[in-house]
Amino acid sequence: ARDVEFVADHLKSLPRSARVALCDLSPALLAQAKLRVDKLGLADRVDLIQCDITAGPAALAKLGLRSKDSAVVACSYCLTMIPAWKAAVDAMLDLLVDDGALCLIDFTQRFDRASTLVERVYKAWFGLDGVYFNRDQVDYVAARTAPEQTRRSVALPKLASASRPSASSTRRPTSRSTGATLAARSVSYT
């Protein structure tokens, strides 16, 4: 629910039909999220859902997470901890309406310096906590969110990022959506 804290005032200004879904595998983390949501006065707008984002569209739909039904999908500090991370990225993108926004923030490393002692120590240290830095994740997300006309020929730069959390927000480059839910859902693994 930390993500919701940053947009609480905005959520309160939206029509009552605007909903946010906070999803996590952990019942304990969802209990913490409930405390935050209640404190923010958003219990009537936020759905807390225990689920595995990689379970597939049919399983997610049963929980109210439907394909092409979300204006924003956010994933905070978890993609590096999901073994089936490609399936997670694909599921998050599937939830988005055309022109929806996928917002990711996670741990990363300086891939341009991956062989240095400092970066090897960071990678090993984070690995002890189940956080795995993976350049393929950066490349996959970039390729999946590249404009349609350049997907086949996109040449991705080797991004240099600090050895601290980094954030990115990408918009799906498709036609403008019509009738999409205003601030539909936000999926977050914490």
Side-chain angles (χ1 to χ4, degrees):
R2 185 85 172 114
D3 296 350
V4 174
E5 289 178 1
F6 295 111
V7 295
D9 290 337
H10 177 68
L11 288 174
K12 290 175 183 176
S13 73
L14 295 175
R16 304 297 289 166
S17 60
R19 304 290 305 161
V20 172
L22 294 178
C23 303
D24 204 295
L25 284 172
S26 167
L29 290 177
L30 286 172
Q32 288 296 315
K34 180 174 178 9
L35 293 174
R36 285 182 171 174
V37 167
D38 289 348
K39 185 178 178 182
L40 292 167
L42 292 171
D44 63 331
R45 294 173 178 253
V46 177
D47 302 315
L48 300 168
I49 302 172
Q50 185 178 357
C51 72
D52 177 354
I53 192 70
T54 65
L60 294 176
K62 288 179 184 177
L63 298 170
L65 300 170
R66 291 175 194 78
S67 180
K68 307 289 183 216
D69 190 39
S70 301
V72 176
V73 173
C75 178
S76 301
Y77 300 107
C78 68
L79 193 60
T80 51
M81 294 180 254
I82 301 174
W85 59 266
K86 281 185 180 179
V89 169
D90 292 344
M92 289 184 267
L93 290 171
D94 182 62
L95 293 172
L96 288 173
V97 296
D98 290 344
D99 235 8
L102 173 63
C103 304
L104 301 172
I105 185 167
D106 214 321
F107 300 102
T108 189
Q109 75 177 111
R110 299 266 325 242
F111 293 106
D112 63 330
R113 298 180 183 176
S115 62
T116 66
L117 177 62
V118 170
E119 292 301 320
R120 289 190 323 236
V121 168
Y122 281 140
K123 189 171 186 172
W125 183 263
F126 276 86
L128 292 173
D129 200 26
V131 176
Y132 301 101
F133 303 138
N134 185 341
R135 176 65 206 199
D136 292 341
Q137 291 172 343
V138 175
D139 293 341
Y140 188 76
V141 170
R144 286 293 319 275
T145 58
E148 195 67 41
Q149 62 272 21
T150 62
R151 269 196 199 149
R152 287 190 177 85
S153 62
V154 68
L156 301 172
K158 297 299 179 195
L159 302 176
S161 56
S163 298
R164 54 188 160 79
S166 67
S168 67
S169 176
T170 57
R171 291 184 99 26
R172 287 188 62 162
T174 54
S175 63
R176 305 284 301 161
S177 61
T178 56
T181 306
L182 184 56
R185 298 197 178 274
S186 171
V187 177
S188 174
Y189 275 74
T190 52

